[in-house]
Amino acid sequence: QVQLQESGPGLVKPSEPLSLTCSVSGGSITLNNYYWTWIRQPPGKGLERIGYTDYRGNSTYSPALKSHASISRDTSKNQFTLHLTSVTPEDTAVYYCAREIRIGILRMYDSWGQGTQVTVSS
């Protein structure tokens, strides 16, 4: 039984950094074959994959966000954290953390956090 829970600020001012933490229980983020992922959904838009960190802590990002996002982890707390630099109102979204599993060339997400709303506004 894997559970994920997002935490972080709900309101951020433009140009400020943003950090959101995903706390994982019921499964280790160091376990091979899982990819710990951040996904967001802006208002009125579809889901956007931000990036993920693997069992070794190596992270990969969407090309659109690679200069904007980074993901770190704390294995002692079984947490991984999304960092966005210099946010803009376009970063307003519901942010989810999720566990990705790969089956062949396919990817699916078998566990999700409930999501956390982040609003970027002055």
Side-chain angles (χ1 to χ4, degrees), residues 19-94:
S19 293
L20 299 171
T21 294
C22 184
S23 299
V24 179
S25 62
S28 174
I29 63 172
T30 66
L31 187 63
N32 195 197
N33 297 324
Y34 296 105
Y35 303 84
W36 305 94
T37 305
W38 283 99
I39 300 164
R40 69 182 182 182
Q41 185 170 34
K45 298 183 179 180
L47 296 170
E48 178 184 27
R49 180 177 172 177
I50 300 169
Y52 62 86
T53 186
D54 69 12
Y55 73 103
R56 296 199 62 184
N58 297 320
S59 298
T60 301
Y61 309 100
S62 168
L65 297 170
K66 62 182 180 181
S67 65
H68 188 36
S70 64
I71 298 173
S72 63
R73 69 177 189 171
D74 184 339
T75 58
S76 69
K77 297 181 179 180
N78 212 38
Q79 297 175 334
F80 62 105
T81 298
L82 171 68
H83 310 271
L84 295 180
T85 61
S86 190
V87 298
T88 74
E90 293 185 354
D91 293 310
T92 294
V94 177

Side-chain angles (χ1 to χ4, degrees), residues 1-4 24-27 31-37 39 97-103 107-113:
Q1 185 179 3
V2 177
Q3 295 182 335
L4 290 77
V24 179
S25 62
L31 187 63
N32 195 197
N33 297 324
Y34 296 105
Y35 303 84
W36 305 94
T37 305
I39 300 164
C97 56
R99 186 174 73 172
E100 177 186 294
I101 186 170
R102 297 178 180 179
I103 304 172
R107 299 172 179 172
M108 63 174 292
Y109 302 91
D110 65 355
S111 297
W112 293 73

